[in-house]
Structure formats: structure tokens, C-alpha cells
Amino acid sequence: MNQSILTLATAPVEIIHDVTDGGFIADQLENIPDHLQAAVKKGYNDRYTAPGLHSEAVRNANTYLRETADNILSTTSPLGITADDDDDTIMLKAQKLAAKFANMINGGGGLSAALGHADDIGISPPQVPHKAIRLDDGEVVTDRETIRHIGQAKRLTSPRWLYGLMRREKERLAELQGIRLHMIGKGRSAYITRRGLAVQAAKSVIAREYMASREAVSTTDGRVMSMGDVMDAGVSNPANLRNEMMMRISDGERYIQQHHPDHVCLFFTFTSPSAFHAMRMTGGYRSTDKHGVTRTIGATATPNPKYEQQIPVHKGRGKNIVTTLRDNTPRLSHHWLTDKFADFRTWAKDNDIGMYYVRTTEPNHDATAHWHGLLWVASSVLKEVKSALRDAFLAEFGDEDGAWKHRVQIKMIDTTKGSAAGYITKYISKNIDGFAIGKDFESGLDAATGAEAVSAWRKTWGIRAFQFSGNFAPVTHWRELRRITPQQVAERPLLAAMRNAADLSDWYGFMVHSKRSPTVLHTGVIDLKDGSGITAPLDWLELCAGKDNMPDMERQEAARERAKLAKPNAYGEVVPRAIGIKADAETPLYTRDTVWEIQAKRNSGSWLDKLREMGEHGTSWHISNAIDSASDAFSSSSIPSSSPLGLVENNCGTPLTPDEKEEVYQQMRREYRRSRLNPHNKIYKTLREKYPLWDSYENAAIDMVNHRAMSPDEWAAHQERVAVIVEDLL
């Protein structure tokens, strides 16, 4: 038996193989992305060294490698990106695609041709903000159709918009490859790959550091607030979000019990068909908890032979139905469940059946989406509702084994065992921070770690965790009311009652008052260029005319003139936001009397600020000649303390040489790593302990500086772009 070891310079794992297979293995490894190389090589070695006949082990190992490479080659993005593309490569591809769309739009095909090509490569029609207006050459455009067409064209031809889309696609492509290679599952990496988990963890750290380095300054009275404190005070704080969610559910349940005594509550679990699942659980035993939810205990995750890489998706109805094949992703499984629940809601509306519901979406151990939720309906239609739910969710793939038993679980809540809120508490907590759960049985992880993985899964795939029915009262209005002081509503009794309920965290009272006197959220803009919007906000209703209770043409024209002073976004649109609220026939209360500007804290010294400063001075800064070694790079004797990153100004303005650029890059990296490896830095210490592969992924979220040979102008533009890219991660 002849054996050799094939060593690749960039690979942390060496493949053990027969000498005659070296060429075959090298060819197959060329098709494996860098982030999967180590796992694939380990899989090959495990099969190669398996006990038994050596010839059979070699055959199994080579078959595994060939099938893995074929699987990777079939898992591609229609956008032409790969999971190994760095940010510069993605930006370049985005620029090329934007130019292609521009040629289509301007070359005679128009927007329809560009949208058709976008659909062919998996890009959904760009969403233009609702109620936005346009400012084109100083003129105000309010026609909705015109705004939508121009906004879509602007986005399709924007490299920055396409870059963001491609970057998300890159992360999802890497996850899809992990799913198809069975790297995600209980006992492997539950919910998301280790790479994906580390990327999202890095983004969270960057977001926290960025917000901590920023402050909000009022242009009205000069007040200053730390953005870190603002972030902790809102629902960005997991504890606040969890408390608000549980309050809405428990008080909502109390409202339904008192105002709809004939309603009963159902606890449901909806699971995607077997074709969506890359893994299945074998062995173990089934256990049913006190709420009637069944789970498998002690089972092992194994590849599912019924898994399909593409799923048929149907659009339209009857003779107009169109079926297309789409890649099987967790996002698609969530959309499949959403479509089936929409069919059920349509049935309920057609039969005049009222209901309240709340649902939460979370992953199975193999990353496929499933739902848990509560549904309140009248007891007189209970049988019909259960039947309609089963019909909706079993209309497709309904003949598979176990579909009737496992895919649609509906349990009547037994009030002697707990409230409806108690049934769903752990699923709410699992999707936020894992508070008071103990153990995550789905993944086998502890609750906190499992919740972090669930959160990373949700962010990667862009899946909404929670959804309430509209008759639960609007939470946006609730949050707006909590901003108001008693003095502001002294002459508005209806709004005062709702404001008091919101201030006392009484969602039940808020629902009662909302049903009696519905609130209307006023939208508009206050940050006008001349500052007049602070005392007289531009209400969006002022731009409407020709309808009942709308302003006359003279008032509308005055509003259009004021709208010209607004600050448009990158696509020329002025997007409305909440500026006030009113209840029933009372006069509107404008709650936004301050314009806030976000700026860097003085002497914050964040690495992002230093990176941006390098971008601004890319052709006139260089490393001090006094630095002779790496150990001198941070010594006070060679670098002025006031100089960012140890840089001193080059008054001659000489272009940086490739060696100087390399030195800039290395010094930035040293400073970043030194702060990260500081044993007293709790954030990074926690990351290192929780994610042993953190070092391998630090550049997944932070593309520091690509130190290729560039001209001085390219170098400056590149560093500014990197700062923008990192800022976009937030």
C-alpha cells in the first residue's frame, strides 16, 4: 500500500490518501470554497481511516469528495458571486451589474427589461418606501407610480444597493452550502454553521462598538445623548424586547377573555414538509410536554433521503397558476409557511370568521423554519378552523409519511395548566436571549447559546421572528405614546387616556381605548434645511388634495414649496417618518420637536474613525520613518500620541509606495489585534471562548484594507469605501 500526504499551503488540515489519488484529490479540492476546505478534508480523512477493508475505505472517501465537489458546483448564485468573494470583488461585480442594468434601461428596453433580467437572476423588484416623494431638479413629484418606477431604476443602477444585496447573498450562499453538505444539525452545528455564527457575532460586536462611539446631538437645544445608552433604552435591548412581547401577549389574552368570552385559544405548531429538511432525527424516543408539544429526545441527526435541493413554488390560482423551481433555503421554507397561513386567513375572511393570533418563527436543528403560535377563535367555529388549518398546510406534500401527525399540531389550551402566554413564553425567550429556559432541546445547547444561534440564523436569512394580528392594536402607536409627557396631552382627553396606559405598561388598557377611539399616526418630515420643520412639521396630508377632508390647492401648493427644503436620500426620495399622533376627532399632537444629528464622540478613538480618517487623507499620510520594527510601532518615543494609528503627515504629499501601503495595513491590523487580544477586554475574551475559530473569521465582517498595488487616488477611494462597507454592516 502506497500512501502520501498531500499538503496545501493554506489548508489547516492535511489529507491522507493513496499516492495514486493525489491528482484526483487536488482537482476536486479546487472546487471547494476556502471556508469549507477544513471540514471536507476532515470528512475525507474520517472515511479513509475507517475500520474495515482499506480498498472500500478509499472508495468511500473518494466518492464522498467527488459528490461534495459536485454538490458545491451545483450550489451557485445566479448573481455570479461565490462564498469566497471578498468585499472588493463583490463591489466590482456590483458595479458591472449596475452598468448592465443602466444599459438595459437606457438602451430601449426600459425598466421592464431590467426588472425581467433582475427576476431571472433572483433579484426581487426593489421596494420603494411607501408615501415617499421625489425631489427631481427642485421639483416635487408625488405621483406614486412615477416615484416607484424612478426609485426602482435608481436602485437597480446603484452599485451600493446591489453591493448590499450581493453581500447578503454571499452569506446565504455559504450557509446553503453548509446545509447541503450536512454541516448543520444537532450534534454538528445547530441552526447555522460555525462560520455564519461567528460572522453575525462579529457584526454584533461592531454594531455595539460603533454605537458606543457615537452620540446624538440636538440641533434645537444642544442636548447630547450617548447612542450606546439610547440603544440600551429601546427594544434593541433583548430584555426590553422580551418584556414588551410578554406584556402584549398576556394583556392581549386578558382583553380577549373579557371582550370575547366565547373565544378559545389554540396552540399550534406548523412544520415544513420533509422535502425542505436536509437532516432527520433517527433513534431516540418521543416525549410530549405539559403543553402537548411533542419532541424527539436522544435522537441522532442523519441526512434525510427525501431532501430536495429545489422546491416547486406556485404563483397565481386556477388556470393562471405558474410553477417555478427555487433553491431550497430556510427563507423559502418560512415563505412556504407564510403562504399557507395566508390561504387560511383568506378562508377565514371569506367565511366572516374573526380571530386573534401571534406566531413566532424559529429554526429546526437543520435550519429549516417552523412556527409556533397562539390562535383565538370563537368556540362555535372551532371544528371548521382546525379542519381549514390542516387543509391549508397539507395541501402540498400532504401524502408524505407522518404529515398528518407531525406537520400540523393543534392543541386546545388547558387553562388549568397555565395561561396562553405561559404556553408560548419559552418560544419568545428562545428567539431573543434564552432567558429562563434552561436547555434548548432542539439543538442540545444551553439556552443562551441556542438563542444566539437562532438570532444569527434569523439575521442571516432575513426572517421575521414575531408577528401579531392587526387587531392586537398597533405597537408603533404605543411606542409613540410613550414619548409624550402629561403636559402635551392636557387638552386631549382621548390621547391622554391612551398615553397613561402606555406609560403604565398597560397594554390591556391601550387596546380598550384603541378600539373605542382609533389612533392615527401622522407621518411627514421635520428635518428641513431651513429648520422651520421643528416648530411646524410638514405633515404628509398637506401634500394631498382633491379628496374629502384634504387641504385645498392653495395649502397643498404651500406644502409643496416647503417640501423642496427637505433632505432626500441617496435615490432622491424624501421618506416620511412618524411626526405625531391623533385620536379620533382631536387635533393632531406633533411629538417630534427636535432634530438629532449623529456624530462621533470627541476623542472616541474607534478603529472605524481611524480608518475613515485614513480614507480622507489617503494621499498625504504615511508611516513615520522613525518606526524601524514591529515592537516600535506603538512606542511613545516614535509616534506622537495625537497621531491616529501612528501616522504623521507627509507635507510633501508624495504618493505612498506599495511598501508603505503594506506597512499601513499591517500596522492597522496590529492595533486591531492588540486590542482584541487584550486579556482584560471582556467582549473579545468571550468571543474567543465561545467561538474557537474566531481568528479564522475576523475578516469575514471586517475587511480591513486590501493592500494590493494601487494608485494614490485608488488607495484613498478604497479606504473610504471600506469604511462605508463596514458602516453598512450595522
Side-chain angles (χ1 to χ4, degrees):
M1 179 179 63
N2 295 323
Q3 297 185 20
S4 67
I5 293 183
L6 178 64
T7 304
L8 301 182
T10 59
V13 178
E14 298 176 340
I15 279 190
I16 305 173
H17 68 95
D18 286 358
V19 66
T20 55
D21 294 330
F24 163 79
I25 292 173
D27 291 340
Q28 298 300 317
L29 288 177
E30 289 182 358
N31 299 320
I32 307 297
D34 291 343
H35 70 279
L36 295 175
Q37 289 266 345
V40 171
K41 291 174 181 177
K42 183 179 183 301
Y44 184 95
N45 289 346
D46 290 343
R47 289 163 176 79
Y48 183 86
T49 58
L53 290 175
H54 178 69
S55 58
E56 183 176 351
V58 171
R59 182 168 60 253
N60 291 339
N62 288 340
T63 300
Y64 161 78
L65 185 58
R66 184 185 68 253
E67 291 178 348
T68 298
D70 291 343
N71 205 335
I72 292 297
L73 290 175
S74 66
T75 309
T76 58
S77 169
L79 293 176
I81 61 175
T82 70
D84 284 338
D85 285 346
D86 59 20
D87 282 330
D88 277 347
T89 302
I90 294 177
M91 179 63 78
L92 180 61
K93 292 181 178 180
Q95 292 169 345
K96 291 181 178 179
L97 184 57
K100 186 173 183 178
F101 279 129
N103 290 335
M104 289 181 177
I105 294 173
N106 301 324
L111 179 62
S112 59
L115 290 174
H117 179 65
D119 185 64
D120 291 340
I121 59 177
I123 299 178
S124 300
Q127 296 297 309
V128 179
H130 186 56
K131 292 185 178 180
I133 65 172
R134 290 197 60 80
L135 294 180
D136 292 326
D137 299 325
E139 295 298 322
V140 178
V141 180
T142 58
D143 180 69
R144 181 61 191 161
E145 197 67 14
T146 301
I147 293 171
R148 183 173 65 84
H149 286 167
I150 297 177
Q152 288 180 337
K154 291 278 188 182
R155 285 165 174 79
L156 288 177
T157 56
S158 167
R160 183 167 181 169
W161 185 84
L162 290 171
Y163 163 80
L165 185 147
M166 287 182 169
R167 192 184 62 203
R168 290 190 297 272
E169 179 69 12
K170 168 193 169 181
E171 297 305 328
R172 292 173 183 175
L173 178 62
E175 288 303 303
L176 182 57
Q177 290 171 345
I179 291 172
R180 291 184 176 179
L181 294 180
H182 308 119
M183 296 172 59
I184 300 178
K186 186 174 183 179
R188 305 183 185 207
S189 180
Y191 307 139
I192 190 170
T193 63
R194 292 178 62 85
R195 175 190 185 277
L197 184 60
V199 167
Q200 293 301 332
K203 288 183 179 181
S204 297
V205 171
I206 293 171
R208 173 60 60 180
E209 289 187 348
Y210 178 82
M211 296 299 286
S213 70
R214 292 297 184 269
E215 60 188 10
V217 180
S218 168
T219 60
T220 309
D221 52 21
R223 284 179 293 163
V224 179
M225 292 191 299
S226 168
M227 289 305 297
D229 295 340
V230 172
M231 191 175 180
D232 290 336
V235 290
S236 296
N237 184 328
N240 293 345
L241 176 60
R242 185 185 66 253
N243 293 336
E244 183 186 85
M245 289 289 299
M246 294 311 304
M247 173 204 63
R248 292 171 65 188
I249 295 173
S250 59
D251 279 14
E253 179 185 14
R254 184 158 62 98
Y255 174 87
I256 296 170
Q257 288 173 343
Q258 295 193 18
H259 292 79
H260 301 279
D262 63 327
H263 277 38
V264 294
C265 186
L266 301 175
F267 180 80
F268 62 79
T269 299
F270 301 140
T271 306
S272 304
S274 180
F276 285 88
H277 293 264
M279 306 291 286
R280 66 175 180 174
M281 302 302 289
T282 58
Y285 61 94
R286 304 286 289 180
S287 174
T288 303
D289 65 14
K290 67 178 183 179
H291 299 312
V293 178
T294 302
R295 60 171 57 90
T296 302
I297 306 296
T300 303
T302 59
N304 178 19
K306 296 181 180 180
Y307 172 72
E308 298 289 343
Q309 292 192 358
Q310 291 189 316
I311 299 292
V313 176
H314 311 292
K315 291 184 179 180
R317 295 182 182 276
K319 296 181 180 180
N320 298 323
I321 193 167
V322 177
T323 301
T324 57
L325 290 175
R326 292 181 55 187
D327 282 337
N328 184 357
T329 66
R331 186 175 174 86
L332 181 64
S333 64
H334 171 66
H335 287 170
W336 189 90
L337 294 170
T338 303
D339 289 343
K340 300 311 169 188
F341 195 67
D343 291 341
F344 164 72
R345 288 190 293 111
T346 300
W347 171 86
K349 183 178 180 181
D350 292 343
N351 289 274
D352 198 26
I353 295 177
M355 60 183 175
Y356 292 81
Y357 66 84
V358 56
R359 64 91 180 147
T360 175
T361 305
E362 62 182 50
N364 288 101
H365 66 100
D366 63 350
T368 310
H370 69 275
W371 285 12
H372 297 290
L374 302 171
L375 176 67
W376 288 268
V377 295
S379 57
S380 59
V381 295
L382 181 60
K383 183 177 180 180
E384 291 84 352
V385 166
K386 286 184 175 181
S387 178
L389 282 169
R390 293 189 181 280
D391 289 344
F393 282 89
L394 298 177
E396 289 185 78
F397 304 99
D399 57 348
E400 64 183 14
D401 294 339
W404 184 268
K405 181 178 180 180
H406 302 301
R407 274 182 37 201
V408 181
Q409 297 184 34
I410 305 173
K411 303 291 182 181
M412 177 82 72
I413 286 187
D414 185 350
T415 55
T416 63
K417 296 181 179 179
S419 65
Y423 272 70
I424 203 171
T425 296
K426 62 181 178 182
Y427 301 105
I428 297 294
S429 184
K430 179 180 176 180
N431 274 273
I432 299 177
D433 57 2
F435 176 78
I437 293 181
K439 186 175 180 62
D440 179 2
F441 291 99
E442 177 70 25
S443 64
L445 304 172
D446 65 90
T449 304
E452 191 167 1
V454 169
S455 177
W457 170 85
R458 190 176 64 249
K459 292 175 182 177
T460 299
W461 292 106
I463 293 175
R464 184 174 182 174
F466 311 110
Q467 179 70 57
F468 288 79
S469 57
N471 49 6
F472 254 92
V475 70
T476 306
H477 297 198
W478 160 274
R479 292 169 182 168
E480 193 69 19
L481 288 167
R482 289 171 65 87
R483 298 167 47 88
I484 302 174
T485 63
Q487 293 76 18
Q488 290 177 290
V489 293
E491 299 179 358
R492 298 176 175 85
L494 297 178
L495 208 58
M498 282 184 276
R499 181 261 165 202
N500 290 338
D503 190 58
L504 295 173
S505 297
D506 178 13
W507 184 265
Y508 170 83
F510 175 65
M511 288 188 69
V512 171
H513 290 297
S514 295
K515 299 293 182 180
R516 295 173 181 172
S517 306
T519 51
V520 176
L521 197 66
H522 277 244
T523 57
V525 61
I526 62 171
D527 51 345
L528 302 179
K529 297 173 185 176
D530 64 353
S532 62
I534 297 175
T535 54
L538 176 60
D539 196 315
W540 237 233
L541 292 178
E542 299 289 336
L543 293 172
C544 304
K547 299 180 181 179
D548 295 339
N549 301 321
M550 292 294 111
D552 54 32
M553 295 300 295
E554 184 176 346
R555 289 175 59 194
Q556 185 202 25
E557 187 59 33
R560 292 172 70 91
E561 288 301 314
R562 290 192 67 219
K564 294 179 182 179
L565 298 174
K567 300 176 182 179
N569 62 16
Y571 310 108
E573 301 156 352
V574 178
V575 182
R577 63 175 180 174
I579 61 172
I581 192 170
K582 71 184 291 289
D584 212 9
E586 293 181 344
T587 57
L589 172 65
Y590 294 109
T591 57
R592 308 298 175 108
D593 58 355
T594 304
V595 175
W596 297 91
E597 291 189 358
I598 310 301
Q599 65 182 31
K601 291 181 179 179
R602 295 182 180 181
N603 302 320
S604 64
S606 74
W607 61 267
L608 182 59
D609 295 327
K610 298 173 182 178
L611 183 60
R612 182 174 291 282
E613 186 166 359
M614 289 190 62
E616 294 172 353
H617 307 286
T619 59
S620 59
W621 294 76
H622 76 109
I623 298 296
S624 168
N625 292 331
I627 300 177
D628 297 321
S629 66
S631 60
D632 295 332
F634 295 96
S635 65
S636 58
S637 60
S638 61
I639 300 176
S641 59
S642 60
S643 182
L645 285 174
L647 304 179
V648 295
E649 188 171 1
N650 175 5
N651 294 324
C652 301
T654 16
L656 295 174
T657 66
D659 289 341
E660 288 177 323
K661 295 173 188 176
E662 171 69 17
E663 198 168 359
V664 170
Y665 167 78
Q666 294 297 344
Q667 187 169 347
M668 290 177 62
R669 189 175 180 83
R670 282 195 298 269
E671 181 185 82
Y672 171 68
R673 288 180 63 84
R674 187 181 72 158
S675 65
R676 184 174 64 78
L677 298 174
N678 183 348
H680 301 292
N681 192 323
K682 295 182 179 179
I683 292 179
Y684 290 117
K685 182 179 180 181
T686 302
L687 284 172
R688 286 199 311 277
E689 293 173 349
K690 189 170 290 187
Y691 311 113
L693 299 181
W694 172 257
D695 284 340
S696 303
Y697 304 132
E698 66 178 41
N699 287 328
I702 308 172
D703 178 18
M704 294 298 287
V705 175
N706 188 345
H707 51 288
R708 299 175 302 183
M710 295 181 181
S711 68
D713 291 340
E714 289 174 335
W715 172 250
H718 171 77
Q719 293 190 79
E720 175 62 21
R721 185 169 69 254
V722 169
V724 170
I725 287 170
V726 174
E727 209 164 351
D728 282 347
L729 291 173
L730 309 178

